[in-house]
PDB file of all heavy atoms in Angstrom:
ATOM      1  N   ILE A  79     -26.146  15.363  26.596  1.00 98.00           N
ATOM      2  CA  ILE A  79     -27.132  14.626  25.786  1.00 98.00           C
ATOM      3  C   ILE A  79     -27.343  13.218  26.361  1.00 98.00           C
ATOM      4  O   ILE A  79     -28.482  12.760  26.499  1.00 98.00           O
ATOM      5  CB  ILE A  79     -26.714  14.582  24.296  1.00 98.00           C
ATOM      6  CG1 ILE A  79     -26.901  15.979  23.692  1.00 98.00           C
ATOM      7  CG2 ILE A  79     -27.529  13.546  23.514  1.00 98.00           C
ATOM      8  CD1 ILE A  79     -26.558  16.116  22.234  1.00 98.00           C
ATOM      9  N   LEU A  82     -29.303  13.661  29.565  1.00 98.00           N
ATOM     10  CA  LEU A  82     -30.703  14.010  29.279  1.00 98.00           C
ATOM     11  C   LEU A  82     -31.453  12.785  28.757  1.00 98.00           C
ATOM     12  O   LEU A  82     -32.635  12.590  29.068  1.00 98.00           O
ATOM     13  CB  LEU A  82     -30.764  15.162  28.263  1.00 98.00           C
ATOM     14  CG  LEU A  82     -30.445  16.540  28.859  1.00 98.00           C
ATOM     15  CD1 LEU A  82     -30.039  17.534  27.777  1.00 98.00           C
ATOM     16  CD2 LEU A  82     -31.641  17.088  29.650  1.00 98.00           C
ATOM     17  N   ALA A  83     -30.752  11.942  27.983  1.00 98.00           N
ATOM     18  CA  ALA A  83     -31.398  10.725  27.483  1.00 98.00           C
ATOM     19  C   ALA A  83     -31.679   9.773  28.652  1.00 98.00           C
ATOM     20  O   ALA A  83     -32.771   9.211  28.767  1.00 98.00           O
ATOM     21  CB  ALA A  83     -30.517  10.050  26.443  1.00 98.00           C
ATOM     22  N   GLY A  86     -34.388  11.387  30.700  1.00 98.00           N
ATOM     23  CA  GLY A  86     -35.598  11.522  29.865  1.00 98.00           C
ATOM     24  C   GLY A  86     -36.329  10.202  29.719  1.00 98.00           C
ATOM     25  O   GLY A  86     -37.553  10.144  29.835  1.00 98.00           O
ATOM     26  N   PHE A  87     -35.581   9.117  29.474  1.00 98.00           N
ATOM     27  CA  PHE A  87     -36.278   7.839  29.288  1.00 98.00           C
ATOM     28  C   PHE A  87     -36.784   7.245  30.612  1.00 98.00           C
ATOM     29  O   PHE A  87     -37.657   6.387  30.602  1.00 98.00           O
ATOM     30  CB  PHE A  87     -35.431   6.859  28.472  1.00 98.00           C
ATOM     31  CG  PHE A  87     -35.522   7.186  27.009  1.00 98.00           C
ATOM     32  CD1 PHE A  87     -34.527   7.907  26.362  1.00 98.00           C
ATOM     33  CD2 PHE A  87     -36.662   6.836  26.285  1.00 98.00           C
ATOM     34  CE1 PHE A  87     -34.650   8.250  25.016  1.00 98.00           C
ATOM     35  CE2 PHE A  87     -36.799   7.175  24.943  1.00 98.00           C
ATOM     36  CZ  PHE A  87     -35.788   7.886  24.311  1.00 98.00           C
ATOM     37  N   ILE A  89     -38.262   9.404  32.695  1.00 97.00           N
ATOM     38  CA  ILE A  89     -39.525  10.164  32.693  1.00 97.00           C
ATOM     39  C   ILE A  89     -40.531   9.476  31.750  1.00 97.00           C
ATOM     40  O   ILE A  89     -41.723   9.405  32.015  1.00 97.00           O
ATOM     41  CB  ILE A  89     -39.271  11.623  32.236  1.00 97.00           C
ATOM     42  CG1 ILE A  89     -38.318  12.330  33.199  1.00 97.00           C
ATOM     43  CG2 ILE A  89     -40.582  12.400  32.107  1.00 97.00           C
ATOM     44  CD1 ILE A  89     -37.807  13.678  32.705  1.00 97.00           C
ATOM     45  N   HIS A  90     -40.001   8.950  30.661  1.00 96.00           N
ATOM     46  CA  HIS A  90     -40.823   8.274  29.645  1.00 96.00           C
ATOM     47  C   HIS A  90     -41.329   6.914  30.146  1.00 96.00           C
ATOM     48  O   HIS A  90     -42.093   6.233  29.460  1.00 96.00           O
ATOM     49  CB  HIS A  90     -39.938   8.075  28.399  1.00 96.00           C
ATOM     50  CG  HIS A  90     -40.669   7.663  27.173  1.00 96.00           C
ATOM     51  ND1 HIS A  90     -41.564   8.471  26.533  1.00 96.00           N
ATOM     52  CD2 HIS A  90     -40.621   6.504  26.449  1.00 96.00           C
ATOM     53  CE1 HIS A  90     -42.037   7.836  25.477  1.00 96.00           C
ATOM     54  NE2 HIS A  90     -41.484   6.641  25.406  1.00 96.00           N
ATOM     55  N   PHE A  98     -39.098   8.893  39.433  1.00 97.00           N
ATOM     56  CA  PHE A  98     -39.632   9.860  38.482  1.00 97.00           C
ATOM     57  C   PHE A  98     -39.282  11.300  38.859  1.00 97.00           C
ATOM     58  O   PHE A  98     -38.782  12.065  38.041  1.00 97.00           O
ATOM     59  CB  PHE A  98     -41.157   9.671  38.375  1.00 97.00           C
ATOM     60  CG  PHE A  98     -41.811  10.595  37.396  1.00 97.00           C
ATOM     61  CD1 PHE A  98     -41.793  10.301  36.034  1.00 97.00           C
ATOM     62  CD2 PHE A  98     -42.447  11.753  37.822  1.00 97.00           C
ATOM     63  CE1 PHE A  98     -42.397  11.156  35.114  1.00 97.00           C
ATOM     64  CE2 PHE A  98     -43.053  12.612  36.908  1.00 97.00           C
ATOM     65  CZ  PHE A  98     -43.027  12.309  35.553  1.00 97.00           C
ATOM     66  N   VAL A 102     -37.066  14.018  36.787  1.00 97.00           N
ATOM     67  CA  VAL A 102     -37.571  15.287  36.246  1.00 97.00           C
ATOM     68  C   VAL A 102     -36.679  16.440  36.710  1.00 97.00           C
ATOM     69  O   VAL A 102     -36.271  17.294  35.912  1.00 97.00           O
ATOM     70  CB  VAL A 102     -39.040  15.535  36.681  1.00 97.00           C
ATOM     71  CG1 VAL A 102     -39.492  16.947  36.327  1.00 97.00           C
ATOM     72  CG2 VAL A 102     -39.963  14.513  36.028  1.00 97.00           C
ATOM     73  N   HIS A 105     -33.350  16.258  34.956  1.00 98.00           N
ATOM     74  CA  HIS A 105     -33.542  16.536  33.526  1.00 98.00           C
ATOM     75  C   HIS A 105     -33.666  18.052  33.313  1.00 98.00           C
ATOM     76  O   HIS A 105     -33.062  18.607  32.396  1.00 98.00           O
ATOM     77  CB  HIS A 105     -34.790  15.811  33.025  1.00 98.00           C
ATOM     78  CG  HIS A 105     -34.895  15.743  31.520  1.00 98.00           C
ATOM     79  ND1 HIS A 105     -34.208  14.822  30.767  1.00 98.00           N
ATOM     80  CD2 HIS A 105     -35.597  16.494  30.622  1.00 98.00           C
ATOM     81  CE1 HIS A 105     -34.492  14.999  29.477  1.00 98.00           C
ATOM     82  NE2 HIS A 105     -35.335  16.019  29.370  1.00 98.00           N
ATOM     83  N   ASN A 106     -34.423  18.716  34.211  1.00 97.00           N
ATOM     84  CA  ASN A 106     -34.584  20.171  34.092  1.00 97.00           C
ATOM     85  C   ASN A 106     -33.254  20.884  34.276  1.00 97.00           C
ATOM     86  O   ASN A 106     -32.914  21.793  33.518  1.00 97.00           O
ATOM     87  CB  ASN A 106     -35.575  20.687  35.142  1.00 97.00           C
ATOM     88  CG  ASN A 106     -37.012  20.406  34.742  1.00 97.00           C
ATOM     89  OD1 ASN A 106     -37.283  20.036  33.594  1.00 97.00           O
ATOM     90  ND2 ASN A 106     -37.941  20.563  35.668  1.00 97.00           N
ATOM     91  N   ALA A 109     -31.039  20.342  31.359  1.00 98.00           N
ATOM     92  CA  ALA A 109     -31.570  21.072  30.198  1.00 98.00           C
ATOM     93  C   ALA A 109     -31.115  22.533  30.240  1.00 98.00           C
ATOM     94  O   ALA A 109     -30.697  23.094  29.230  1.00 98.00           O
ATOM     95  CB  ALA A 109     -33.095  20.979  30.165  1.00 98.00           C
ATOM     96  N   PHE A 112     -27.560  22.732  29.303  1.00 98.00           N
ATOM     97  CA  PHE A 112     -27.449  22.525  27.853  1.00 98.00           C
ATOM     98  C   PHE A 112     -27.747  23.839  27.114  1.00 98.00           C
ATOM     99  O   PHE A 112     -27.032  24.223  26.171  1.00 98.00           O
ATOM    100  CB  PHE A 112     -28.444  21.434  27.454  1.00 98.00           C
ATOM    101  CG  PHE A 112     -28.268  20.890  26.056  1.00 98.00           C
ATOM    102  CD1 PHE A 112     -27.009  20.748  25.492  1.00 98.00           C
ATOM    103  CD2 PHE A 112     -29.374  20.483  25.312  1.00 98.00           C
ATOM    104  CE1 PHE A 112     -26.866  20.232  24.203  1.00 98.00           C
ATOM    105  CE2 PHE A 112     -29.233  19.967  24.031  1.00 98.00           C
ATOM    106  CZ  PHE A 112     -27.977  19.846  23.476  1.00 98.00           C
ATOM    107  N   ILE A 113     -28.769  24.563  27.580  1.00 98.00           N
ATOM    108  CA  ILE A 113     -29.140  25.825  26.926  1.00 98.00           C
ATOM    109  C   ILE A 113     -28.008  26.854  27.066  1.00 98.00           C
ATOM    110  O   ILE A 113     -27.637  27.537  26.109  1.00 98.00           O
ATOM    111  CB  ILE A 113     -30.487  26.354  27.480  1.00 98.00           C
ATOM    112  CG1 ILE A 113     -31.611  25.430  26.994  1.00 98.00           C
ATOM    113  CG2 ILE A 113     -30.741  27.799  27.067  1.00 98.00           C
ATOM    114  CD1 ILE A 113     -32.970  25.681  27.603  1.00 98.00           C
ATOM    115  N   MET A 185     -35.570  19.980  20.117  1.00 98.00           N
ATOM    116  CA  MET A 185     -35.483  19.463  21.493  1.00 98.00           C
ATOM    117  C   MET A 185     -35.603  20.599  22.505  1.00 98.00           C
ATOM    118  O   MET A 185     -36.291  20.480  23.521  1.00 98.00           O
ATOM    119  CB  MET A 185     -34.159  18.737  21.729  1.00 98.00           C
ATOM    120  CG  MET A 185     -34.013  17.443  20.995  1.00 98.00           C
ATOM    121  SD  MET A 185     -35.432  16.385  21.195  1.00 98.00           S
ATOM    122  CE  MET A 185     -35.082  15.615  22.763  1.00 98.00           C
ATOM    123  N   VAL A 186     -34.913  21.721  22.236  1.00 98.00           N
ATOM    124  CA  VAL A 186     -34.932  22.842  23.193  1.00 98.00           C
ATOM    125  C   VAL A 186     -36.331  23.451  23.248  1.00 98.00           C
ATOM    126  O   VAL A 186     -36.898  23.645  24.332  1.00 98.00           O
ATOM    127  CB  VAL A 186     -33.874  23.906  22.804  1.00 98.00           C
ATOM    128  CG1 VAL A 186     -34.011  25.138  23.685  1.00 98.00           C
ATOM    129  CG2 VAL A 186     -32.470  23.326  22.912  1.00 98.00           C
ATOM    130  N   GLY A 189     -38.849  21.038  24.654  1.00 95.00           N
ATOM    131  CA  GLY A 189     -38.536  20.871  26.081  1.00 95.00           C
ATOM    132  C   GLY A 189     -39.021  22.064  26.901  1.00 95.00           C
ATOM    133  O   GLY A 189     -39.576  21.892  27.988  1.00 95.00           O
ATOM    134  N   LEU A 190     -38.830  23.286  26.351  1.00 92.00           N
ATOM    135  CA  LEU A 190     -39.266  24.482  27.093  1.00 92.00           C
ATOM    136  C   LEU A 190     -40.794  24.551  27.161  1.00 92.00           C
ATOM    137  O   LEU A 190     -41.375  24.925  28.184  1.00 92.00           O
ATOM    138  CB  LEU A 190     -38.686  25.753  26.458  1.00 92.00           C
ATOM    139  CG  LEU A 190     -37.182  25.941  26.680  1.00 92.00           C
ATOM    140  CD1 LEU A 190     -36.669  27.150  25.912  1.00 92.00           C
ATOM    141  CD2 LEU A 190     -36.833  26.074  28.158  1.00 92.00           C
ATOM    142  N   TYR A 192     -42.709  22.020  27.234  1.00 89.00           N
ATOM    143  CA  TYR A 192     -43.004  20.975  28.209  1.00 89.00           C
ATOM    144  C   TYR A 192     -42.841  21.545  29.626  1.00 89.00           C
ATOM    145  O   TYR A 192     -43.684  21.384  30.506  1.00 89.00           O
ATOM    146  CB  TYR A 192     -41.957  19.876  28.025  1.00 89.00           C
ATOM    147  CG  TYR A 192     -42.460  18.462  28.011  1.00 89.00           C
ATOM    148  CD1 TYR A 192     -41.808  17.511  27.229  1.00 89.00           C
ATOM    149  CD2 TYR A 192     -43.527  18.060  28.779  1.00 89.00           C
ATOM    150  CE1 TYR A 192     -42.216  16.198  27.212  1.00 89.00           C
ATOM    151  CE2 TYR A 192     -43.929  16.743  28.763  1.00 89.00           C
ATOM    152  CZ  TYR A 192     -43.276  15.819  27.986  1.00 89.00           C
ATOM    153  OH  TYR A 192     -43.677  14.526  27.970  1.00 89.00           O
ATOM    154  N   MET A 193     -41.708  22.276  29.806  1.00 89.00           N
ATOM    155  CA  MET A 193     -41.340  22.794  31.128  1.00 89.00           C
ATOM    156  C   MET A 193     -42.337  23.840  31.632  1.00 89.00           C
ATOM    157  O   MET A 193     -42.689  23.868  32.788  1.00 89.00           O
ATOM    158  CB  MET A 193     -39.968  23.461  31.005  1.00 89.00           C
ATOM    159  CG  MET A 193     -38.999  23.110  32.073  1.00 89.00           C
ATOM    160  SD  MET A 193     -37.513  24.048  31.756  1.00 89.00           S
ATOM    161  CE  MET A 193     -36.333  22.773  31.561  1.00 89.00           C
ATOM    162  N   ALA A 215     -44.808  16.329  23.279  1.00 93.00           N
ATOM    163  CA  ALA A 215     -44.209  15.121  23.852  1.00 93.00           C
ATOM    164  C   ALA A 215     -43.742  14.178  22.732  1.00 93.00           C
ATOM    165  O   ALA A 215     -42.670  13.583  22.812  1.00 93.00           O
ATOM    166  CB  ALA A 215     -45.211  14.414  24.757  1.00 93.00           C
ATOM    167  N   HIS A 218     -40.621  15.690  21.118  1.00 97.00           N
ATOM    168  CA  HIS A 218     -39.497  15.613  22.055  1.00 97.00           C
ATOM    169  C   HIS A 218     -38.969  14.165  22.121  1.00 97.00           C
ATOM    170  O   HIS A 218     -37.765  13.937  22.106  1.00 97.00           O
ATOM    171  CB  HIS A 218     -39.962  16.099  23.433  1.00 97.00           C
ATOM    172  CG  HIS A 218     -38.840  16.509  24.332  1.00 97.00           C
ATOM    173  ND1 HIS A 218     -38.152  17.688  24.171  1.00 97.00           N
ATOM    174  CD2 HIS A 218     -38.283  15.908  25.411  1.00 97.00           C
ATOM    175  CE1 HIS A 218     -37.224  17.788  25.113  1.00 97.00           C
ATOM    176  NE2 HIS A 218     -37.288  16.711  25.881  1.00 97.00           N
ATOM    177  N   THR A 219     -39.881  13.203  22.142  1.00 98.00           N
ATOM    178  CA  THR A 219     -39.462  11.802  22.238  1.00 98.00           C
ATOM    179  C   THR A 219     -38.841  11.338  20.906  1.00 98.00           C
ATOM    180  O   THR A 219     -37.817  10.647  20.906  1.00 98.00           O
ATOM    181  CB  THR A 219     -40.655  10.898  22.610  1.00 98.00           C
ATOM    182  OG1 THR A 219     -41.288  11.478  23.754  1.00 98.00           O
ATOM    183  CG2 THR A 219     -40.222   9.493  22.955  1.00 98.00           C
ATOM    184  N   ALA A 222     -35.440  12.600  20.768  1.00 98.00           N
ATOM    185  CA  ALA A 222     -34.567  11.848  21.676  1.00 98.00           C
ATOM    186  C   ALA A 222     -34.095  10.556  20.995  1.00 98.00           C
ATOM    187  O   ALA A 222     -32.921  10.209  21.049  1.00 98.00           O
ATOM    188  CB  ALA A 222     -35.306  11.531  22.974  1.00 98.00           C
ATOM    189  N   LEU A 225     -31.522  11.426  18.381  1.00 98.00           N
ATOM    190  CA  LEU A 225     -30.227  11.765  18.984  1.00 98.00           C
ATOM    191  C   LEU A 225     -29.482  10.499  19.406  1.00 98.00           C
ATOM    192  O   LEU A 225     -28.278  10.393  19.229  1.00 98.00           O
ATOM    193  CB  LEU A 225     -30.422  12.690  20.184  1.00 98.00           C
ATOM    194  CG  LEU A 225     -30.528  14.179  19.844  1.00 98.00           C
ATOM    195  CD1 LEU A 225     -30.824  14.993  21.092  1.00 98.00           C
ATOM    196  CD2 LEU A 225     -29.238  14.681  19.194  1.00 98.00           C
ATOM    197  N   ILE A 226     -30.227   9.541  19.934  1.00 98.00           N
ATOM    198  CA  ILE A 226     -29.571   8.294  20.356  1.00 98.00           C
ATOM    199  C   ILE A 226     -29.045   7.541  19.130  1.00 98.00           C
ATOM    200  O   ILE A 226     -27.920   7.028  19.134  1.00 98.00           O
ATOM    201  CB  ILE A 226     -30.532   7.427  21.182  1.00 98.00           C
ATOM    202  CG1 ILE A 226     -30.702   8.111  22.541  1.00 98.00           C
ATOM    203  CG2 ILE A 226     -30.013   6.008  21.364  1.00 98.00           C
ATOM    204  CD1 ILE A 226     -31.709   7.480  23.420  1.00 98.00           C
TER     205      ILE A 226
HETATM  206  C1  HEM B 459     -32.748  22.001  26.404  1.00 88.67           C
HETATM  207  C2  HEM B 459     -33.171  20.829  26.100  1.00 88.67           C
HETATM  208  C3  HEM B 459     -34.265  20.079  26.825  1.00 88.67           C
HETATM  209  C4  HEM B 459     -35.298  20.531  27.617  1.00 88.67           C
HETATM  210  C5  HEM B 459     -35.605  21.978  27.990  1.00 88.67           C
HETATM  211  C6  HEM B 459     -36.032  19.376  28.073  1.00 88.67           C
HETATM  212  C7  HEM B 459     -37.131  19.396  28.909  1.00 88.67           C
HETATM  213  C8  HEM B 459     -37.940  18.316  29.197  1.00 88.67           C
HETATM  214  C9  HEM B 459     -39.110  18.345  30.052  1.00 88.67           C
HETATM  215  C10 HEM B 459     -39.622  19.567  30.815  1.00 88.67           C
HETATM  216  C11 HEM B 459     -39.653  17.103  30.064  1.00 88.67           C
HETATM  217  C12 HEM B 459     -40.933  16.660  30.789  1.00 88.67           C
HETATM  218  C13 HEM B 459     -40.694  16.350  32.220  1.00 88.67           C
HETATM  219  C14 HEM B 459     -42.044  16.106  32.903  1.00 88.67           C
HETATM  220  O1  HEM B 459     -42.818  15.249  32.423  1.00 88.67           O
HETATM  221  O2  HEM B 459     -42.299  16.764  33.906  1.00 88.67           O
HETATM  222  C15 HEM B 459     -38.840  16.259  29.204  1.00 88.67           C
HETATM  223  C16 HEM B 459     -39.082  14.934  28.936  1.00 88.67           C
HETATM  224  C17 HEM B 459     -38.245  14.137  28.191  1.00 88.67           C
HETATM  225  N1  HEM B 459     -37.022  14.488  27.653  1.00 88.67           N
HETATM  226 FE1  HEM B 459     -36.253  16.355  27.592  1.00 88.67          FE
HETATM  227  N2  HEM B 459     -35.477  18.252  27.520  1.00 88.67           N
HETATM  228  C18 HEM B 459     -34.375  18.640  26.764  1.00 88.67           C
HETATM  229  C19 HEM B 459     -33.510  17.826  26.066  1.00 88.67           C
HETATM  230  C20 HEM B 459     -33.635  16.461  25.978  1.00 88.67           C
HETATM  231  C21 HEM B 459     -32.695  15.598  25.297  1.00 88.67           C
HETATM  232  C22 HEM B 459     -31.403  16.072  24.622  1.00 88.67           C
HETATM  233  C23 HEM B 459     -33.187  14.322  25.402  1.00 88.67           C
HETATM  234  C24 HEM B 459     -32.647  13.022  24.890  1.00 88.67           C
HETATM  235  C25 HEM B 459     -31.552  12.838  24.245  1.00 88.67           C
HETATM  236  C26 HEM B 459     -34.437  14.398  26.118  1.00 88.67           C
HETATM  237  C27 HEM B 459     -35.265  13.326  26.386  1.00 88.67           C
HETATM  238  C28 HEM B 459     -36.496  13.391  27.003  1.00 88.67           C
HETATM  239  C29 HEM B 459     -37.434  12.289  27.090  1.00 88.67           C
HETATM  240  C30 HEM B 459     -37.259  10.906  26.489  1.00 88.67           C
HETATM  241  C31 HEM B 459     -38.529  12.752  27.829  1.00 88.67           C
HETATM  242  C32 HEM B 459     -39.806  11.977  28.172  1.00 88.67           C
HETATM  243  C33 HEM B 459     -40.848  12.327  27.121  1.00 88.67           C
HETATM  244  C34 HEM B 459     -42.200  11.667  27.369  1.00 88.67           C
HETATM  245  O3  HEM B 459     -42.253  10.484  27.683  1.00 88.67           O
HETATM  246  O4  HEM B 459     -43.203  12.350  27.225  1.00 88.67           O
HETATM  247  N3  HEM B 459     -34.686  15.707  26.467  1.00 88.67           N
HETATM  248  N4  HEM B 459     -37.803  17.025  28.701  1.00 88.67           N
END
Side-chain angles (χ1 to χ4, degrees):
I79 288 181
L82 284 160
F87 281 99
I89 298 169
H90 192 67
F98 181 81
V102 170
H105 194 80
N106 282 348
F112 192 35
I113 290 172
M185 291 311 277
V186 173
L190 288 175
Y192 225 148
M193 226 182 240
H218 200 75
T219 309
L225 275 176
I226 288 174

